[in-house]
Amino acid sequence: MYRLYDGNKEGVLKIPVSVCPASWGTLLVADKEKGKILSARLHYPVDVVEIVSGLSCPVAITYRHGLLLIADVGKQQILCSDLTGDHFLNPEKMTVKQLRKALKDRRLLPPGNNSKKGELQKALKSWMDANSTSDRNGQTKLHTVEIVNQPTIQATAVVFSEQGTDNFYAAEMSGQVHEISLTINGLNANANVLRSIDVTVGSLFGIVRTNRDSELYVSSSAVNGGLFRVNLATGHCECLLSNGSEDLQCVHGICAKMDGTVVMVDRGDHKVKEFKEDLDEVRVLAGSGRSGTKDGSETSASFSQPTAVCCEEGADTVYVLDTSIGRLKMITSTLALTTFLENLWKFLTAFQLTSENVSGLEEAIDLTQSYYSFLEKASLKVQQIKGSTAKTQGPDGTLSSSTLNSVEMILLGLNRLKEDVIHLNPERSEEHTSETPVT
């Protein structure tokens, strides 16, 4: 497990209480004391950028397709922030392509129109002035989600619903869980509660979708709380694990992996655990059970006050906030690391930089080819997970594309060297090793 760094300085986080994945290789963290949302790009050390400020007491966040939802209990509001410029209109910062799309969507762009950027901005500003229902000028990063039919919701946990919709779910401290539709017209964010269910216990701090329609897992930190499964379509609510039981002392935040496994923070036991509902099985992911700040293996690592948790789509890595000490920790298998080191060892052996001997140039080429193939497959797998053909970089969990290119150049160089040796003296080609050209 690794701590969140910013130039190795302590105090980057004061009281972090919520974390969620954003674009690939980036996490968002809500800091309750600072009243800010921070973006953490997963380099090492981590790059930290402040993306939202001016909040009162943000306690929960969720992100999808550039839109960030924030539950601020201090303001007793749900707020949203457009991180990509695709949801709220801001003519001054929009590209020509974005301006044209915004005008076309509102039937304000005649066919064949070739207006320049300034004219497009003017036309869009004119429409905004005529249709605005508030005093916002499009420059602010924050917009209040106006829940028309139930304006008094005080959310303590939020999560977007299934892909393809703009709905989201919100849980309240009181024990109410709501499905809410969200409509953004470029100027304002309006919402309506579609349906609700009462979990009958309070202190709801975690909410996540299951793999079944209209079903959610919610977590309550109350004495009589625990992990619940709720179905908004049927109104059914069932407690799956109770606080104070052998498997769960006091649950706080939860998230779900792709296979439906629930990852939950057992704040009372100072551990992070997994729950597989189909097997009715709970196992410890990390944590010794003793209060502390130690990094290490799953049984030796310790947490002081673990609260929120999240995991990236398509990956098994889990991120946990240790609130009282202001740290973001990562739980990941060592399998990926050991596999990488095994392949790196092959590459170093090719140039006789390890204790192993290489029989000749042919073996050196084979070892280098094996290392290159490993890096290439890792990059392709990440691209498949991301659904992108863009070159992968460090925050994607792979080596940079420039490193991959460098290994490919070395491989090509070794093959050319082999061809030259065979051309000049084919009888002695097997006597040559890669030790000499290592420099």
Side-chain angles (χ1 to χ4, degrees):
M1 297 189 297
Y2 303 92
R3 181 162 57 90
L4 175 66
Y5 283 86
D6 177 25
N8 291 328
K9 292 188 296 185
E10 295 282 356
V12 176
L13 300 175
K14 292 294 186 182
I15 304 183
V17 292
S18 185
V19 59
C20 72
S23 55
W24 188 265
T26 303
L27 299 177
L28 302 178
V29 180
D31 193 305
K32 184 171 71 171
E33 181 170 308
K34 287 187 172 183
K36 297 177 179 180
I37 310 298
L38 305 174
S39 171
R41 191 165 181 255
L42 299 176
H43 279 292
Y44 189 83
V46 169
D47 294 333
V48 181
V49 179
E50 177 187 311
I51 58 171
V52 177
S53 60
L55 300 169
S56 176
C57 186
V59 295
I61 54 175
T62 185
Y63 172 93
R64 190 172 73 191
H65 302 322
L67 188 66
L68 172 66
L69 285 184
I70 307 164
D72 191 328
V73 295
K75 294 184 177 182
Q76 298 184 6
Q77 293 175 330
I78 296 177
L79 306 165
C80 60
S81 180
D82 183 3
L83 303 186
T84 58
D86 294 325
H87 301 277
F88 288 92
L89 301 175
N90 189 342
E92 297 299 329
K93 295 185 178 181
M94 294 169 71
T95 65
V96 171
K97 184 178 180 180
Q98 288 174 324
L99 288 166
R100 288 188 177 277
K101 184 180 185 304
L103 291 169
K104 186 177 179 180
D105 289 346
R106 291 158 181 80
R107 299 180 180 179
L108 300 173
L109 190 68
N113 182 285
N114 295 315
S115 298
K116 295 183 178 180
K117 185 174 183 178
E119 295 170 323
L120 297 173
Q121 289 174 326
K122 184 177 179 181
L124 189 55
K125 287 178 181 178
S126 177
W127 179 87
M128 291 173 65
D129 291 339
N131 291 273
S132 177
T133 59
S134 69
D135 60 355
R136 298 186 187 90
N137 59 13
Q139 301 297 322
T140 180
K141 288 184 177 181
L142 282 174
H143 299 261
T144 301
V145 177
E146 303 288 351
I147 304 177
V148 178
N149 61 344
Q150 200 167 331
T152 58
I153 287 178
Q154 298 180 31
T156 49
V158 288
V159 66
F160 276 109
S161 63
E162 60 274 3
Q163 296 289 335
T165 74
D166 290 325
N167 295 357
F168 67 94
Y169 300 105
E172 295 191 75
M173 179 70 77
S174 63
Q176 291 283 322
V177 177
H178 311 279
E179 181 181 7
I180 302 172
S181 65
L182 177 64
T183 303
I184 298 175
N185 66 0
L187 293 173
N188 308 292
N190 295 315
N192 281 282
V193 174
L194 301 178
R195 46 192 176 183
S196 303
I197 188 172
D198 190 350
V199 182
T200 70
V201 295
S203 300
L204 302 184
F205 292 116
I207 185 169
V208 67
R209 301 187 311 273
T210 71
N211 290 333
R212 297 175 289 272
D213 291 341
S214 302
E215 277 197 357
L216 305 166
Y217 292 115
V218 295
S219 57
S220 164
S221 296
V223 174
N224 59 337
L227 180 67
F228 294 81
R229 184 183 67 240
V230 301
N231 189 309
L232 285 160
T234 64
H236 180 71
C237 176
E238 179 182 358
C239 181
L240 303 175
L241 295 169
S242 298
N243 287 338
S245 63
E246 181 180 352
D247 291 323
L248 187 64
Q249 292 300 306
C250 180
V251 69
H252 197 96
I254 56 175
C255 67
K257 294 184 177 181
M258 292 289 288
D259 63 359
T261 300
V262 181
V263 179
M264 52 189 184
V265 173
D266 192 338
R267 192 180 68 197
D269 204 15
H270 301 284
K271 295 178 181 178
V272 179
K273 301 177 178 179
E274 279 189 342
F275 172 63
K276 294 183 182 291
E277 184 182 355
D278 55 343
L279 301 176
D280 193 25
E281 176 184 275
V282 176
R283 80 174 189 92
V284 176
L285 258 184
S288 63
R290 297 182 296 274
S291 179
T293 62
K294 182 181 178 181
D295 294 344
S297 67
E298 60 182 286
T299 56
S300 65
S302 59
F303 298 95
S304 176
Q305 187 191 18
T307 53
V309 63
C310 76
C311 50
E312 290 183 304
E313 185 175 346
D316 286 331
T317 301
V318 173
Y319 301 93
V320 186
L321 286 178
D322 205 340
T323 296
S324 64
I325 59 172
R327 290 185 181 180
L328 172 63
K329 295 192 173 187
M330 178 175 72
I331 304 171
T332 188
S333 168
T334 58
L335 178 61
L337 176 61
T338 54
T339 303
F340 171 75
L341 292 176
E342 286 171 359
N343 281 273
L344 179 60
W345 182 269
K346 293 178 183 179
F347 182 59
L348 297 176
T349 299
F351 294 92
Q352 298 193 5
L353 297 175
T354 69
S355 57
E356 296 183 23
N357 294 321
V358 178
S359 60
L361 187 56
E362 190 68 42
E363 185 181 358
I365 291 174
D366 290 342
L367 290 169
T368 305
Q369 177 65 62
S370 177
Y371 181 58
Y372 175 74
S373 297
F374 165 74
L375 297 180
E376 189 176 41
K377 287 178 181 177
S379 179
L380 289 173
K381 185 173 183 180
V382 170
Q383 287 178 334
Q384 290 173 356
I385 294 172
K386 292 176 62 179
S388 169
T389 58
K391 293 180 179 179
T392 60
Q393 304 295 341
D396 297 320
T398 68
L399 292 181
S400 68
S401 58
S402 60
T403 300
L404 184 61
N405 291 338
S406 297
V407 176
E408 184 181 24
M409 289 173 61
I410 293 171
L411 181 60
L412 291 172
L414 289 174
N415 278 295
R416 290 195 187 101
L417 177 62
K418 175 186 172 182
E419 292 172 1
D420 290 343
V421 169
I422 292 175
H423 176 72
L424 294 172
N425 195 343
E427 294 181 358
R428 300 192 60 186
S429 61
E430 290 301 319
E431 298 178 14
H432 291 268
T433 70
S434 54
E435 185 177 11
T436 301
V438 69
T439 55

